[in-house]
Amino acid sequence: MATETSTKTIFELQALPYAFDALEPYIDAKTMEIHHDKHHAAYTNNLNAAVQGTVLEGRTIEEILSNISTQQVAVRNNGGGFYNHNFFWEIMTPGGARQPEGDLLKVINASFGSYQNFKEAFTKAALTRFGSGWAWLVKQGEGLVISSTPNQDNPLMDLADVKGTPVLGVDVWEHAYYLKYQNRRPDYLEAFFNVINWDEVAQRFKG
Ligand code: MN3
């Protein structure tokens, strides 16, 4: 019997909250389909395989990530991949506000000087992440900071350089953009700013 079919479902692959083609033309349908149905599914299956039969069964993903330095690398990589992609699908939307508003905008202005400064700093963090990883907007206390992480690490992990609550993140693995943008990560990032779900980001900031 294949390992995949004998793995218990502990963490469930959530359906995308919109159709594969909903983020066109910024993020293409084929990329979304492979990203969710293959990459995210694999992280989820591999996480389940890694935690089943261990003390981690029954813990939330947030609990596992907060203590990740004590875990084997398969839990770190696949637990991060599971959490990060659930997060990523939710902070994107085909409609909604084009820019942050209200209290969130006030905190962005207080933390970075302006929305434009924030956008430039976030983009720079995503562009300068060498190889595969993520860029993040992270809540620390009542303020916001920007960071980036390698591989599938994230700010919830106890071993992250910058720890806090992620409120916005962008996947800069090549699988997130290569079909449409090839090596042009800057074009992908510019496109990403057209599909950010600022209402969801504001909700996550409120906590
Ligand atoms: Mn990915």
Side-chain angles (χ1 to χ4, degrees):
M1 191 186 287
T3 323
E4 216 172 74
T5 52
S6 62
T7 300
K8 214 160 105 183
T9 299
I10 300 160
F11 293 100
E12 202 162 344
L13 179 66
Q14 289 173 34
L16 265 190
Y18 34 72
F20 292 131
D21 65 357
L23 304 180
E24 294 267 13
Y26 305 108
I27 302 181
D28 62 288
K30 189 49 117 178
T31 294
M32 291 300 291
E33 182 182 347
I34 296 170
H35 204 170
H36 179 273
D37 288 7
K38 304 296 182 191
H39 292 278
H40 193 189
Y43 295 126
T44 306
N45 288 336
N46 292 336
L47 174 63
N48 285 331
V51 303
Q52 74 175 352
T54 76
V55 295
L56 299 180
E57 247 190 76
R59 288 193 198 164
T60 67
I61 190 62
E62 288 84 358
E63 286 169 338
I64 292 172
L65 296 178
S66 72
N67 203 25
I68 204 71
S69 61
T70 64
Q71 301 302 327
Q72 52 164 323
V73 71
V75 177
R76 176 175 173 180
N77 289 340
N78 294 297
F82 170 76
Y83 177 92
N84 291 348
H85 290 85
N86 279 338
F87 179 95
F88 190 47
W89 311 138
E90 289 177 7
I91 58 84
M92 295 191 289
T93 183
R98 294 274 65 92
Q99 291 194 8
E101 298 165 348
D103 288 346
L104 178 62
L105 180 60
K106 282 185 199 154
V107 178
I108 285 176
N109 287 337
S111 299
F112 305 105
S114 67
Y115 170 76
Q116 194 55 36
N117 285 356
F118 148 73
K119 186 179 173 186
E120 283 169 18
F122 184 86
T123 300
K124 187 180 174 192
L127 289 178
T128 55
R129 167 48 54 191
F130 183 77
S132 297
W134 293 72
W136 303 100
L137 180 63
V138 183
K139 184 180 181 186
Q140 280 186 341
E142 289 310 307
L144 289 163
V145 296
I146 287 167
S147 75
S148 80
T149 53
N151 304 315
Q152 296 295 353
D153 287 0
N154 70 42
L156 294 176
M157 293 182 173
D158 58 347
L159 44 66
D161 291 336
V162 175
K163 287 183 273 297
T165 305
V167 299
L168 176 68
V170 64
D171 187 343
V172 296
W173 284 58
E174 284 187 344
H175 68 226
Y177 62 88
Y178 208 84
L179 287 182
K180 185 176 174 77
Y181 297 102
Q182 294 82 51
N183 59 317
R184 303 187 307 277
R185 195 187 283 189
D187 292 356
Y188 160 66
L189 288 165
E190 192 59 43
F192 170 71
F193 271 87
N194 289 286
V195 294
I196 294 174
N197 186 348
W198 284 110
D199 295 329
E200 177 66 23
V201 176
Q203 283 302 320
R204 287 172 181 270
F205 181 77
K206 265 196 269 177

